[in-house]
Amino acid sequence: MSRKRVGRVAMAAGTLVAGIALSMGETSSAAKAAPGDTDSDTTVANVVVTGSITLTNLTPSFTLTGRPGQTVDTADPVDFTVTTNNFAGYTVTVFPAAGELLGTAGNPETIPAGSLLVERIPGGPFVPLTLGTPVEVFRKTAPSAADGDDFSHEYRITIPFVRPDTYSGTINYVATTL
């Protein structure tokens, strides 16, 4: 091929490359967003609220003091708070952890847990505690207040004929949603 011809082929090839570049440039500039263009989309916020119930502020211990044969009530009521968002409501039950109240070390005598009576519903009758049989002390068929429902109730015992000592036992409180 002659030099002139080679030059023309090279020039034609250069023009072709420039035309492709110009064409590509036009295509890219057409894809750019114009000022003020927007796009939007949405999402859904899901808040899953679970049911909850708590029993708090339970009086840590109480004392009944008297002589054998005397019937005595707690000097101060037992207090607790129940908080729940369950719209069906809740119950509170109590039951002894063991069948007997035990004296201090070396004292073989005990007081049956059933000798201890709990006020069934505030202002209601007193009923004996029984191992394995929870006693309902409160029922509500609605949720508690947002900051909880506060309760107080009493215990009673007719002191049995046992030696002088402090007899102790654990009482379980359970709040249950309906």
Side-chain angles (χ1 to χ4, degrees), residues 88-107:
Y90 61 94
T91 63
V92 178
T93 57
V94 299
F95 59 94
E100 300 173 320
L101 305 177
L102 305 176
T104 56
N107 179 356

Side-chain angles (χ1 to χ4, degrees), residues 54-171:
T54 58
L55 189 145
T56 57
N57 303 323
L58 180 62
T59 301
S61 67
F62 62 91
T63 304
L64 299 143
T65 304
R67 61 185 178 284
Q70 184 180 11
T71 299
V72 293
D73 290 350
T74 45
D76 294 311
V78 174
D79 300 321
F80 58 94
T81 302
V82 176
T83 308
T84 184
N85 61 346
N86 184 338
F87 274 72
Y90 61 94
T91 63
V92 178
T93 57
V94 299
F95 59 94
E100 300 173 320
L101 305 177
L102 305 176
T104 56
N107 179 356
E109 293 185 334
T110 62
I111 296 176
S115 296
L116 190 59
L117 307 176
V118 62
E119 186 179 23
R120 186 161 200 182
I121 306 262
F126 283 83
V127 296
L129 293 179
T130 304
L131 181 63
T133 305
V135 174
E136 187 176 292
V137 294
F138 192 78
R139 173 179 288 268
K140 183 175 181 183
T141 56
S144 69
D147 58 349
D149 294 336
D150 296 323
F151 300 102
S152 294
H153 67 128
E154 305 281 340
Y155 283 86
R156 177 178 290 164
I157 191 167
T158 299
I159 309 273
F161 191 79
V162 291
R163 70 178 68 186
D165 199 350
T166 299
Y167 296 82
S168 301
T170 300
I171 299 171

